[in-house]
Each structure stands twice: as structure tokens, then as C-alpha cells.
Amino acid sequence: MPMVLLECDKDIPERRKHIYLKAPNEDSREFLPIANAATIPGTLSERGCAFCGAKLVIGGVLKDTIQMIHGPLGCAYDTWHTKRYPTDNGHFNMKYVWSTDMKESHVVFGGEKRLEQSIHEAFNEMPEIKRMIVYTTCPTALIGDDIKAVVKKVMKERPDVDIFTVECPGFAGVSQSKGHHVLNIGWINEKVETLEKEITSPYTMNFIGDFNIQGDTQLLQTYWDRLGIQVIAHFTGNGTYDDLRCMHQAQLNVVNCARSSGYIANELKKRYGIPRLDIDSWGFNYMAEGIRKICAFFGIEDKGEALIADEYAKWKPKLDWYKERLKGTKMAIWTGGPRLWHWTKSVEDDLGIKVVAMSSKFGHEEDFEKVIARGQEGTYYIDDGNELEFFEIIDRVKPDVIFTGPRVGELVKKLHIPYVNGHAYHNGPYMGFEGFVNLARDTYNAVYNPLAHLAGIDIRNEIPAQLPERIREAA
Amino acid sequence: MEEKIEDLYGYVQERCLWQFFSRTWDRQENIDGVLGKAEQILSGQQPTNETPLEKLHYADAVIMVKDFRERFPWIRECGAAEVKQLMDGLKTRLVETVITKSTNRELSHHLY
Ligand code: SF4
């Protein structure tokens, strides 16, 4: 089956290169959607800006770091509180938002003084915090504010603070993906190997690309503690600025989100010889495989097997209860990129769900190679999908549930299709064994909830005597 | 033999993230490394894992071989010569799909 031109795209035929319907005996050598390319004029993209990729996804997760956003208020507000990454110190990162609140006069006369004042003000207001990331945004990059010079001056005046700069305005790339890249490479160039921490275990690793969404990192940390592995740094779930400066001390880099954080793992391998192990942290089968590989690397296989046996005993019966009821459910996944390939087989193998359509906002072609290799035939693979395309795809594949963000989620609710928050989760964590049971529960609650169906009935018309079979059974 | 290689290829495509690393040289290094260790394990040798990278390739290979033996019981009967043939064939298929014929435009960029 070649690439697909949807009816709604007939006036933007370039979209054909971004949508693939997998047929038997085909693979990504022949049909690989173009990805990480500029959004085509005429489509209403769901993407975020490059600055957002650096701040919202990676930097803003840190639990001890002021995120100073040098720009108008909107850049700060729109990248605050739209992800749920708690911390074990009272959620400092989610409670506060910082901005230099640039106004017209600062744009005209320059914003460096404003930035300098704001940095001092933030440190003075929060004297216990000594770490900061400063971000440029479109307006401050356009007027050429030299944020590095300002930061250098402040660090001279305040020797107890450390500040990192991210120069990645919204227009720097085609999507949030560029921001991931700039932050990764900047951090390894400027901050790694500027600090050493105490080594407390013969086994050390970095866990890269986990963002503690609703406690993912904290749940997985209980496994690493039980295995006696010291995590030098989490990039960046529940993480600290100073831990990330010590990343060079680890023996192994374990990568979950290869898209947002593969760059730093590659550089750590190139510069320090630390090997990179990519794993999937969602799903029973995958999580067990990841733990087995980590343990095989360190030669602690027995500990790994004991942990997996414990977790299976505790959680597998619960998972199977949901599997029995979710078998045959049709799911669509419309998220950032990596969750497409992390999830498509895990929901299929562990829960009997069939993924019928997947769309990525900022995935690269590498992500499509992975997802096409893992995904089913008869499934749509879409790069940078837009609203009209979503409607048309829904018509074609008729999903029972859609994993996506709240914005698209509200949209599909109007079609009486339940959605589960695929970015920030409904009731996570979703990673690990316990987490995947949570995902199964939220999926069950979504597809068995009679409300979506009932809301679609116009009571002025004749009321159908029966609810759909699946919902009757559950009631 | 072709059919057997296809079975193994299908497994690797579906399960192994190491074949999809960022650049051609990373992919080649992983394919050579993991399949090299797998060949040793399947032929009854105990691989020596001296460098961190060798340890990693061993960790990937040992899990893969366990799955091979469970899913494809015929592999337990293969002698060293047949194992080599299988691994060479698998390597050729993988290199073709994820390196030489891949249309991923980032594969050869010299920077990460
Ligand atoms: S696109 Fe530019 S102005 Fe808009 S939020 Fe992103 S950085 Fe700020």
C-alpha cells in the first residue's frame, strides 16, 4: 500500500508523504513517512515551539532549579503546568513560574538589564535555591539579547549560584524536537563533568529520558534501589541540576525516551565511553526485558529475576483481569513520537489491544522506522497530523479509545469517543508493572464508561432500548 | 535456511531497539556486536566481555538468544556452522533494512 492522501488533504497533496497505511510484506525501506520537516502551510499543526521542547519537556522537570524565561509572559505561562511531573520535595517545579515579562519598551531598548534584575530578584526571593536555567524566546533572540554575558556577570557577583543557558527560541526548529536537541548538547558541552558525586554502589547508571510523569521515575527508582544500582542522574525526572553535572561518572546509560534525550546518551558514549542501552519502560513484558538487560550488564541476573518474580506475583493477576475485558479494543495513539513505538506492542501483547492509528507530533524518521517495524498491518502511521485528518482517520478506523493530550482529547470527546491522557496520564504512573495496571485501568474506565455513549443520544428522538453490549456487561 | 533467517529477522525487527540507533555507524556497531555475541552463545561458547560496550552487547544478546530458543526451538539443534550461517544471513538482512536501504535522512549526519 503506498502512502495515503486523505480526502481532507486534497488541496495539500504534500501531506501524502506523511501518512502511511501498512500492508502485508512491506517495511520502512519502501515507505517511511517524512518526519521532522517543516509543517506544510494549510495544515493546522498540533506541534509546540522549539523553546517549549527545552523548557516544558526537559528543563522544567528539575526539582531544584529556577526556570527563568526571558520573554513575554505567554512563553512562560504556556509551558507551565501543562505536564504533570511531581517531585519528592513538594513539587517546587510545578508551584512556581518565572518570566522576565518583556514589554514593548524592553524590546525597543533591549532586555538585558531586565533579565539581570529578574535573575537577582528570583534568587533573592528564593534564597534556598541556587540553580537556574535561563531560556531565550523568540522576541529576546530577535533583538539579540546576550543572555550568556548577563549570566556570566551574575555568576561573578553570586559565586554560590550556577546557571545554565538555553538559546533556543521558538522559531529555531520545526517543532519542540529542536529544543530537546539544543538542551541536550548544551548540557554536555557546558555542565557535564563540572562536579563529582560520591559513588555508593559498584553498579552505577544514568536513567535518561524519564520525566517522572505522575511518579514514573519514583516508581522505577524503587526497582533500582532493590537491585542495589546507584542512579547517578535522572535526565530529568525528579532530578537535580547537580546530579546532571555528574553524568560522566555512570557505567551505563539506560535510555527510555530516545527522541528527547538520545543525543546526550550518544555524546556520553562518544566522549566518555559509557555504553547506551535503550529500553521500553511501559508494559510488563518490556519492563521485565529492560530489567533483565540491565542486570545482565552488571552481572546481577539473580537479583533481577527475583524482582521480576515479585512484581509479577503482585501485579500480573490484576493486569490479566483487565486483559480479559480489553481484548479486541481498538486504540489510537496520538502523542509526541516515542510513545507510538513504546506502546503499540506492549498494549497488544499485555492487554490484547489493537492499535489502529498512530500520529506523532515531533518524531523523526527514526521513530517511524521503529513504529512501522513494531506496529500492525492495516494501521495508519501519521506524521504531524492535523484535526481534519484526525476526523477522517477516526471515520476509517473507528477507535474505541484514543490516547492523546487534553486538547485533542476534548475534540474527540465531542465525537463521543473516550480519550485517555497520553502525555500526562489520567491516573498514573504508567511505567513499570504497577504503572501498566494503572494504564489498563484507565483504558477500561474509558471504554466501559456509559457516559460517552449516553451523551451521544438525543433524548428528543426515540431512546434506544439497549446500551452497547460491552457496557451492559460491565453495568 | 531463508525461512529461518526470516523468522529471526522478524523477531529482531519487532523487539530490538539497538538496530535503530541514531547513525549508521551506531547501527552497524550494534548489529556486529550483538550478533557476534549471539553467535558465540548459540554455539556454546562463553563470550569474554572485557569492555563496557562488549558487556552491553552481551546483555542484549543473551536476552535475544533466550527468546530465540523459546520461540524457534529448531535453533537449539543447530551446530556452529549453521549458527554462523544464520547470523550472517540475519546480519545481511538487518544491514539492508536499517542501513543501506533506509531512507532515514539523519542516518549519516556527522553530528548527533
Ligand atoms: S513560539 Fe516564541 S513567542 Fe511563542 S511561546 Fe514559543 S518562544 Fe514564546
Side-chain angles (χ1 to χ4, degrees):
Chain A
M1 188 77 63
M3 310 301 283
V4 178
L5 182 65
L6 297 175
E7 185 59 27
C8 64
D9 287 334
K10 62 182 189 314
D11 295 324
I12 33 175
E14 303 95 315
R15 285 292 300 157
R16 180 199 291 273
K17 293 182 185 151
H18 300 262
I19 303 173
Y20 170 56
L21 173 61
K22 188 171 169 178
N25 303 318
E26 281 182 0
D27 61 44
S28 56
R29 282 169 305 173
E30 293 154 280
F31 300 108
L32 187 65
I34 292 198
N36 194 36
T39 294
I40 299 163
T43 79
L44 186 62
S45 179
E46 299 278 339
R47 286 167 158 175
C49 74
F51 150 72
C52 167
K55 194 272 162 180
L56 179 68
V57 177
I58 306 181
V61 186
L62 293 173
K63 64 183 173 190
D64 64 346
T65 304
I66 292 170
Q67 310 288 325
M68 181 58 70
I69 295 153
H70 187 32
L73 268 184
C75 306
Y77 182 71
D78 292 340
T79 55
W80 177 59
H81 254 194
T82 58
K83 278 220 169 183
R84 292 187 278 185
Y85 26 61
T87 64
D88 60 9
N89 68 344
H91 324 304
F92 172 75
N93 56 338
M94 295 173 69
K95 276 187 190 153
Y96 303 103
V97 61
W98 303 265
S99 166
T100 56
D101 189 17
M102 293 279 285
K103 292 286 188 282
E104 198 174 343
S105 64
H106 309 119
V107 172
V108 174
F109 298 108
E112 289 174 11
K113 272 211 185 80
R114 178 89 175 166
L115 173 63
E116 188 180 338
Q117 268 172 4
S118 303
I119 296 175
H120 283 302
E121 193 184 326
F123 279 130
N124 289 341
E125 287 295 324
M126 300 180 159
E128 71 292 355
I129 302 291
K130 301 291 180 197
R131 301 290 178 257
M132 179 185 282
I133 301 181
V134 177
Y135 301 85
T136 46
T137 58
C138 299
T140 51
L142 283 171
I143 62 173
D145 274 2
D146 187 349
I147 67 166
K148 275 202 175 359
V150 174
V151 161
K152 212 167 153 192
K153 183 160 179 267
V154 174
M155 278 177 65
K156 220 170 178 182
E157 288 163 23
R158 290 179 173 261
D160 59 341
V161 306
D162 200 90
I163 307 175
F164 175 58
T165 54
V166 178
E167 296 196 81
C168 185
F171 57 74
V174 301
S175 73
Q176 49 268 64
S177 181
K178 182 67 180 180
H180 310 149
H181 187 216
V182 171
L183 192 146
N184 273 245
I185 299 297
W187 189 268
I188 186 111
N189 283 342
E190 293 173 25
K191 294 298 175 192
V192 171
E193 214 184 342
T194 58
L195 198 69
E196 299 273 329
K197 74 192 298 187
E198 192 194 343
I199 300 298
T200 55
S201 164
Y203 319 117
T204 55
M205 69 183 194
N206 294 314
F207 201 94
I208 295 180
D210 66 330
F211 301 108
N212 203 30
I213 305 298
Q214 287 207 28
D216 277 344
T217 306
Q218 287 164 287
L219 173 64
L220 263 49
Q221 183 60 43
T222 63
Y223 305 160
W224 318 134
D225 288 342
R226 280 151 72 186
L227 294 168
I229 299 171
Q230 182 186 5
V231 179
I232 302 285
H234 286 279
F235 190 95
T236 50
N238 195 34
T240 69
Y241 186 103
D242 281 357
D243 283 350
L244 293 174
R245 296 165 74 187
C246 306
M247 290 181 93
H248 60 290
Q249 289 180 280
Q251 294 160 307
L252 177 67
N253 288 315
V254 177
V255 179
N256 177 69
C257 182
R259 179 72 284 123
S260 67
S261 322
Y263 315 102
I264 198 158
N266 286 339
E267 290 292 341
L268 284 164
K269 182 177 165 206
K270 193 166 90 184
R271 300 181 195 194
Y272 299 98
I274 310 169
R276 166 181 165 172
L277 170 66
D278 284 25
I279 66 163
D280 302 273
S281 310
W282 287 279
F284 269 54
N285 193 308
Y286 278 154
M287 190 72 247
E289 183 182 279
I291 290 170
R292 287 197 171 101
K293 286 186 179 180
I294 293 167
C295 290
F297 177 86
F298 289 121
I300 50 171
E301 289 88 340
D302 293 350
K303 280 187 174 181
E305 291 306 328
L307 173 84
I308 293 165
D310 270 4
E311 292 293 312
Y312 262 67
K314 204 159 158 195
W315 299 108
K316 187 73 170 38
K318 294 186 171 64
L319 186 83
D320 288 343
W321 190 91
Y322 288 114
K323 182 175 187 175
E324 194 50 43
R325 287 152 183 85
L326 288 172
K327 258 188 305 195
T329 299
K330 290 197 285 178
M331 179 195 274
I333 305 171
W334 295 340
T335 53
R339 288 180 193 190
L340 277 53
W341 48 263
H342 280 305
W343 286 349
T344 185
K345 273 304 277 179
S346 53
V347 296
E348 187 186 325
D349 291 349
D350 290 341
L351 294 169
I353 289 174
K354 181 177 189 293
V355 178
V356 288
M358 289 181 269
S359 176
S360 142
K361 291 174 201 243
F362 57 76
H364 291 207
E365 283 152 21
E366 175 188 308
D367 296 279
F368 279 97
E369 288 181 282
K370 291 176 187 169
V371 71
I372 290 171
R374 288 179 164 190
Q376 298 223 8
E377 288 159 5
T379 293
Y380 285 91
Y381 303 80
I382 308 160
D383 167 66
D384 190 19
N386 65 51
E387 274 180 26
L388 293 180
E389 290 171 352
F390 289 155
F391 286 135
E392 198 171 326
I393 293 285
I394 286 173
D395 244 10
R396 290 185 183 211
V397 298
K398 309 246 178 311
D400 300 309
V401 60
I402 301 181
F403 273 60
T404 186
R407 251 183 317 197
V408 183
E410 291 304 317
L411 192 85
V412 300
K413 261 191 201 167
K414 293 180 182 161
L415 299 172
H416 311 294
I417 302 169
Y419 98 94
V420 174
N421 191 331
H423 298 298
Y425 309 156
H426 268 26
N427 295 288
Y430 284 175
M431 281 185 184
F433 303 101
E434 179 183 350
F436 217 59
V437 174
N438 293 337
L439 178 143
R441 182 206 53 220
D442 287 348
T443 310
Y444 172 83
N445 286 345
V447 299
Y448 279 91
N449 186 341
L451 274 183
H453 174 76
L454 292 174
I457 298 171
D458 186 340
I459 55 168
R460 292 167 301 183
N461 301 329
E462 201 184 326
I463 298 175
Q466 284 192 336
L467 287 168
E469 200 179 330
R470 161 177 278 177
I471 293 168
R472 260 190 300 132
E473 269 174 21
Chain B
M1 182 55 73
E2 281 309 304
E3 235 170 70
K4 288 178 177 171
I5 292 171
E6 272 315 294
D7 281 349
L8 303 181
Y9 170 76
Y11 170 91
V12 173
Q13 275 275 288
E14 185 191 300
R15 288 208 71 88
C16 301
L17 292 172
W18 46 258
Q19 71 193 306
F20 292 121
F21 269 33
S22 318
R23 301 288 181 260
T24 50
W25 52 91
D26 297 316
R27 293 182 176 193
Q28 187 73 55
E29 182 178 62
N30 284 348
I31 292 170
D32 292 344
V34 177
L35 296 191
K37 295 285 173 203
E39 188 178 324
Q40 288 180 314
I41 304 169
L42 281 166
S43 344
Q45 298 166 31
Q46 182 55 41
T48 49
N49 303 316
E50 273 155 23
T51 65
L53 194 59
E54 277 191 273
K55 274 164 67 179
L56 177 66
H57 289 152
Y58 171 76
D60 273 317
V62 80
I63 309 293
M64 183 177 77
V65 166
K66 191 168 164 277
D67 279 353
F68 279 175
R69 287 178 173 147
E70 266 170 32
R71 292 184 188 206
F72 316 114
W74 47 258
I75 210 165
R76 297 182 213 154
E77 315 302 325
C78 296
E82 202 181 345
V83 165
K84 184 172 174 5
Q85 244 184 318
L86 283 169
M87 290 301 116
D88 286 350
L90 177 57
K91 198 181 283 187
T92 308
R93 285 287 275 127
L94 286 173
V95 167
E96 183 193 297
T97 301
V98 302
I99 299 179
T100 36
K101 289 198 176 160
S102 169
T103 57
N104 177 344
R105 293 169 301 154
E106 285 175 350
L107 271 189
S108 303
H109 199 294
H110 69 289
L111 296 172
Y112 288 119

